[in-house]
């Protein structure tokens, strides 16, 4: 008796479920397209940011090297100036 009820109503439930899925299909397809486009945009942004980061790191390395060179020149010149001032003070 239970199974007979299922056989009578099961087909109707199945048809309703298929119709509901077919109704949702365009919305899901549209959402999938939007997600794919967004993923492509994010991948492009990521590649650009990686390039920008590499350029920034190179600029930092160059600036650091320049500062180290200038610091060495300053230390040498500063030592010379200090010794000259000390010699002038003794004279």
């Amino acid at each position: 008796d239970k199974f007979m009820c299922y056989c009578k109503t099961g087909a109707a439930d199945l048809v309703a479920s298929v119709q509901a899925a077919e109704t949702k299909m365009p919305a899901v397809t549209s959402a999938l397209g939007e997600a794919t486009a967004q993923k492509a945009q994010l991948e492009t942004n990521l590649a650009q940011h990686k390039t920008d980061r590499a350029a920034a790191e190179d600029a930092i390395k160059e600036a650091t090297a320049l500062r180290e060179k200038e610091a060495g020149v300053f230390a040498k010149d500063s030592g010379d100036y200090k010794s000259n001032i000390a010699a002038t003070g003794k004279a």
Side-chain angles (χ1 to χ4, degrees):
D1 205 25
K2 282 184 177 180
F3 298 113
M4 290 307 290
C5 180
Y6 177 75
C7 289
K8 290 178 184 176
T9 61
D13 291 343
L14 185 59
V15 169
S17 176
V18 168
Q19 288 176 344
E22 287 175 351
T23 304
K24 288 182 182 179
M25 199 175 307
V28 171
T29 303
S30 174
L32 180 61
E34 290 174 9
T36 302
Q38 185 179 15
K39 179 182 180 251
Q41 179 63 40
L42 290 173
E43 287 175 345
T44 302
N45 290 348
L46 180 62
Q48 182 61 42
H49 292 313
K50 284 183 179 180
T51 302
D52 293 345
R53 180 179 177 173
E57 288 175 351
D58 289 342
I60 289 171
K61 287 178 186 176
E62 289 177 17
T64 301
L66 181 62
R67 279 193 301 274
E68 288 174 354
K69 177 184 170 190
E70 290 174 348
V73 170
F74 174 77
K76 179 186 173 290
D77 290 346
S78 177
D80 291 344
Y81 295 147
K82 287 179 183 177
S83 65
N84 289 342
I85 290 172
T88 305
K90 291 180 183 178

